[in-house]
């Protein structure tokens, strides 16, 4: 079906964008090392291209899930094609800095979680889906 082809395409994009030069997903720890200028092979701005790929994949996957009735986040349709990577990166960096300050287990988390997963978490925070109020149970 068309839905299944879109899902496979979205998963392929997500997988491909999460495979940088080292053939593995970039961890939060690796991302922070690059953005802080601690990586001798990459410049801090080199993450912009990586984030563009991650966002492209997440936006396609998110749109597919929304159409299927199981949204991961709820971004306005007009923003899907014009998402500002620089703004997203600044917001992601702020989120990671706050997590680093507030989470005692951040060192472990940063070595075991990918930037793709952190980006999905941020998209969910920035573009939450409205939930319908729970209906009170009828007495009985």
């Amino acid at each position: 079906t068309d839905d299944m082809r879109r899902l496979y395409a979205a998963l392929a994009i997500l997988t491909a964008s999460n495979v940088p030069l080292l053939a593995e997903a970039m961890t939060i720890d690796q991302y922070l090392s690059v953005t802080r200028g601690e990586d001798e092979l990459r410049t801090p701005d080199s993450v912009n291209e990586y984030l563009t790929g991650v966002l492209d994949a997440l936006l396609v996957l998110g749109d597919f899930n929304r159409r299927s009735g199981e949204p991961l986040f709820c971004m306005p349709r007009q923003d899907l094609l014009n998402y500002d990577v620089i703004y997203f990166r600044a917001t992601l960096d702020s989120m990671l800095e706050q997590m680093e300050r507030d989470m005692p287990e951040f060192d472990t988390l940063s070595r075991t979680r990918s930037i793709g997963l952190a980006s999905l978490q941020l998209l969910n925070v920035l573009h939450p889906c409205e939930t319908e109020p729970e209906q009170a149970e009828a007495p009985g």
Side-chain angles (χ1 to χ4, degrees):
T1 70
D2 287 341
D3 283 346
M4 200 54 112
R5 274 185 289 234
R6 281 195 297 270
L7 175 61
Y8 288 137
L11 290 173
I13 292 168
L14 185 58
T15 302
S17 69
N18 257 332
V19 182
L21 298 175
L22 300 176
E24 61 184 41
M26 184 181 287
T27 64
I28 292 170
D29 186 57
Q30 291 167 327
Y31 174 86
L32 290 174
S33 177
V34 173
T35 59
R36 292 173 177 166
E38 300 165 358
D39 187 307
E40 296 175 8
L41 301 176
R42 296 179 263 191
T43 64
D45 284 342
S46 69
V47 297
N48 293 347
E49 186 176 320
Y50 184 77
L51 283 178
T52 298
V54 168
L55 279 172
D56 284 349
L58 289 174
L59 294 179
V60 169
L61 186 61
D63 187 53
F64 173 81
N65 277 30
R66 186 183 52 75
R67 290 175 192 227
S68 299
E70 308 254 346
L72 300 170
F73 49 88
C74 293
M75 181 182 300
R77 280 184 126 352
Q78 66 271 17
D79 291 348
L80 285 174
L81 298 176
N82 297 316
Y83 209 74
D84 184 346
V85 174
I86 302 303
Y87 165 77
F88 183 81
R89 176 181 166 189
T91 309
L92 178 64
D93 290 352
S94 293
M95 180 186 85
L96 293 175
E97 287 172 13
Q98 182 177 353
M99 288 171 69
E100 190 172 24
R101 278 192 313 271
D102 298 344
M103 294 177 67
E105 68 279 3
F106 182 78
D107 284 343
T108 301
L109 177 96
S110 72
R111 288 189 303 276
T112 60
R113 298 296 187 270
S114 72
I115 277 298
L117 187 57
S119 296
L120 178 58
Q121 179 181 349
L122 181 57
L123 285 170
N124 188 272
V125 169
L126 292 174
H127 306 285
C129 299
E130 295 197 21
T131 57
E132 299 197 17
E134 291 184 30
Q135 303 213 356
E137 288 185 28

